[in-house]
Amino acid sequence: MKIQPVGMGIVGVLLAPLPLMAQYPIIFNNVKFITMSQEQCEQRAEVAMRQAGFTEDFEPIGRGAFGVNGRYSASIRCEAGRGVVFFAVAGPDNATSRNLVVRLQRTF
């Protein structure tokens, strides 16, 4: 069976939207102003990450902590010299990502 150019055009039109439908992680971030030392912030980041449930692949990183909770990953970055700590959560669901970043911030 020979595929006609028109048939290929129809297949192309049907497949073209597929990349648009790919699901990208939703990333939410937040900040909190702090008055603690860099070392205290980094220690608090590790504790907060664990208490918020991001215990999979947990790892202290250069200026904070990283962890995973199911399909969601989180990062806390301390910039005590600037008086701020950053929180970020990425995952497939908008509302859940938002709620998790708020949980991280409150736990900190």
Side-chain angles (χ1 to χ4, degrees):
M1 178 174 157
K2 183 177 176 185
I3 298 179
Q4 299 296 321
V6 173
M8 290 300 289
I10 292 171
V11 170
V13 169
L14 293 175
L15 294 179
L18 288 180
L20 299 175
M21 295 179 356
Q23 188 174 19
Y24 296 98
I26 304 299
I27 301 171
F28 272 89
N29 57 55
N30 215 331
V31 298
K32 186 173 194 173
F33 296 102
I34 58 172
T35 58
M36 60 183 73
S37 72
Q38 182 68 28
E39 184 178 332
Q40 290 171 320
C41 183
E42 290 172 15
Q43 290 171 352
R44 188 68 200 129
E46 291 179 30
V47 170
M49 189 70 70
R50 291 180 191 274
Q51 286 179 343
F54 290 93
T55 56
E56 301 168 42
D57 295 329
F58 174 81
E59 162 177 7
I61 53 177
R63 293 188 156 276
F66 172 84
V68 175
N69 181 348
R71 296 171 55 196
Y72 297 85
S73 59
S75 175
I76 299 176
R77 180 174 173 90
C78 296
E79 292 294 335
R82 294 183 175 149
V84 67
V85 59
F86 299 92
F87 305 89
V89 173
D93 181 68
N94 191 344
T96 303
S97 295
R98 182 176 350 114
N99 291 339
L100 288 171
V101 82
V102 169
R103 180 193 303 174
L104 264 183
Q105 184 184 21
R106 287 182 180 161
T107 302
F108 187 87

